Amino acid sequence: DAGVTQSPTHLIKTRGQHVTLRCSPISGHKSVSWYQQVLGQGPQFIFQYYEKEERGRGNFPDRFSARQFPNYSSELNVNALLLGDSALYLCASSIYGQLRHEQDNEQFFGPGTRLTVL
Amino acid sequence: GIQVEQSPPDLILQEGANSTLRCNFSDSVNNLQWFHQNPWGQLINLFYIPSGTKQNGRLSATTVATERYSLLYISSSQTTDSGVYFCAVILTGGGNKLTFGTGTQLKVEL
């Protein structure tokens, strides 16, 4: 079975530009979350989407936005890029939802997109 | 917000040695996961363990939720165990937001 997939793998942008990152969850998973990991730190939560609705948002500026599609894949958009946006962007999927089983909120991560802003 | 502290921050072992990594959290949680992040950045799931004890090969983990800590045991370490180990928790009532710990950087030498 395929795991969580993300594209692109690497990306180089300049300040002020816009970027779109993509994520496909594990088949059967309806929740997608996005995390930002800067060098030397643990991942920080950005967004969670479930059934195409935003269910959680971390402490990130409005330049960050996301959406989830009917097939449960997701996009993360970042506008007006800053040097400080350079990071590894990770996508995680989980069953979530009704939590019929305790382990339904276990999250599985994709390989990440490494964004460099020059 | 919830605080998640890991110790030690850095650890160097000789191949074959055993180690214990600790994760302390400041509030009630309903999800606790341990991850290994390899040098390419991939987060690999080790354990989903909000309470109790689990074992998988040379790795085992114990979470004592009432005392708000979790331990990851690595036995007979190998060079491929090198990398960063994170624990991450979801606060009770916190939806699906994982809060990651500070991480333990492990290096296993020959």
Side-chain angles (χ1 to χ4, degrees):
Chain A
D1 289 340
V4 180
T5 60
Q6 293 186 242
S7 63
T9 306
H10 295 84
L11 205 49
I12 299 175
K13 293 284 189 178
T14 56
R15 281 177 296 175
Q17 285 189 311
H18 161 271
V19 68
T20 297
L21 310 180
R22 294 177 176 83
C23 170
S24 291
I26 293 169
S27 177
H29 286 193
K30 298 182 178 181
S31 172
V32 170
S33 298
W34 288 94
Y35 293 80
Q36 180 198 64
Q37 186 178 21
V38 299
L39 198 62
Q41 297 182 20
Q44 298 289 317
F45 173 79
I46 310 175
F47 286 111
Q48 184 215 351
Y49 276 77
Y50 174 70
E51 290 282 19
K52 302 181 290 296
E53 292 186 1
E54 183 182 304
R55 294 300 186 96
R57 184 182 184 115
N59 187 24
F60 282 80
D62 291 344
R63 299 185 296 108
F64 288 76
S65 64
R67 56 178 175 169
Q68 187 176 34
F69 299 99
N71 66 354
Y72 304 110
S73 67
S74 178
E75 283 183 354
L76 175 69
N77 295 283
V78 187
N79 292 323
L81 285 166
L82 304 174
L83 295 179
D85 295 331
S86 294
L88 179 67
Y89 288 85
L90 295 161
C91 171
S93 80
S94 65
I95 295 173
Y96 192 57
Q98 296 173 357
L99 293 180
R100 287 168 294 183
H101 305 286
E102 181 186 64
Q103 208 149 335
D104 282 354
N105 66 355
E106 181 178 9
Q107 295 190 38
F108 298 85
F109 283 80
T113 293
R114 196 166 295 278
L115 172 65
T116 301
V117 182
L118 302 175
Chain B
I2 189 168
Q3 304 297 314
V4 186
E5 300 288 334
Q6 291 184 243
S7 60
D10 298 279
L11 187 58
I12 300 175
L13 299 174
Q14 294 294 312
E15 196 173 45
N18 302 327
S19 62
T20 300
L21 281 56
R22 187 178 179 102
C23 171
N24 291 330
F25 44 95
S26 61
D27 220 324
S28 174
V29 302
N30 63 15
N31 176 359
L32 189 146
Q33 293 184 241
W34 282 97
F35 297 94
H36 174 212
Q37 190 165 40
N38 66 22
W40 298 271
Q42 175 76 56
L43 280 167
I44 300 163
N45 288 43
L46 298 177
F47 292 102
Y48 172 89
I49 189 165
S51 64
T53 297
K54 291 186 178 179
Q55 180 157 7
N56 184 6
R58 296 182 296 105
L59 302 182
S60 63
T62 295
T63 298
V64 183
T66 53
E67 297 187 20
R68 298 182 182 167
Y69 74 88
S70 183
L71 302 173
L72 177 69
Y73 306 95
I74 305 174
S75 65
S76 304
S77 58
Q78 301 175 357
T79 56
T80 52
D81 294 332
S82 297
V84 183
Y85 288 80
F86 287 105
C87 72
V89 302
I90 295 179
L91 187 66
T92 299
N96 210 35
K97 171 188 172 183
L98 274 173
T99 298
F100 281 76
T102 48
T104 292
Q105 175 83 53
L106 173 65
K107 184 176 182 181
V108 181
E109 300 177 333
L110 291 171

